[in-house]
């Protein structure tokens, strides 16, 4: 766990960020005892509608009815339950 002052954090922020990303607790403390905790966040890329256009095709078999075995696998076969 790292506890640093605001002034020290200004000088060493890249290392403190790296420590937080690595899972270490990092606290930045002001003189009056107020503190903040650096916490990593996972920023996911924005979804793009149509990103797979031209890469996926539905063949005619997709629209055919499921066999009894396939249907049982999707909805759960009653004989599988205790």
């Amino acid at each position: 766990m790292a506890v640093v002052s605001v002034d020290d954090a200004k000088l060493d922020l890249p290392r403190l960020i790296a420590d937080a990303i690595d899972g270490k607790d990092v606290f930045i403390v002001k003189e009056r005892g107020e503190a903040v905790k650096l916490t990593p966040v996972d920023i996911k890329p924005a979804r793009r509608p149509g990103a797979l256009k031209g890469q996926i095709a539905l063949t005619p078999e997709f629209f055919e009815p499921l066999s009894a075995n396939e249907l049982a696998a999707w909805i759960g076969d009653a004989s599988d339950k205790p």
Side-chain angles (χ1 to χ4, degrees):
M1 174 173 52
V3 179
V4 297
S5 70
V6 173
D7 292 330
D8 290 340
K10 288 179 188 177
L11 299 173
D12 210 9
L13 190 57
R15 182 186 62 80
L16 296 173
I17 291 172
D19 286 350
I21 290 172
D22 288 341
K24 298 175 185 168
D25 289 331
V26 178
F27 296 93
I28 302 173
V29 182
K30 291 178 79 172
E31 288 179 13
R32 296 185 297 172
E34 300 158 318
V36 296
K37 179 180 179 182
L38 289 182
T39 305
V41 293
D42 185 22
I43 300 175
K44 296 183 173 132
R47 293 178 60 184
R48 291 184 343 197
L52 295 176
K53 186 174 184 176
Q55 297 180 30
I56 298 175
L58 296 180
T59 62
E61 291 83 21
F62 177 82
F63 298 99
E64 292 179 5
L66 295 174
S67 70
N69 290 340
E70 291 171 324
L71 185 59
W74 273 98
I75 61 173
D77 188 357
S79 65
D80 292 341
K81 297 179 183 172

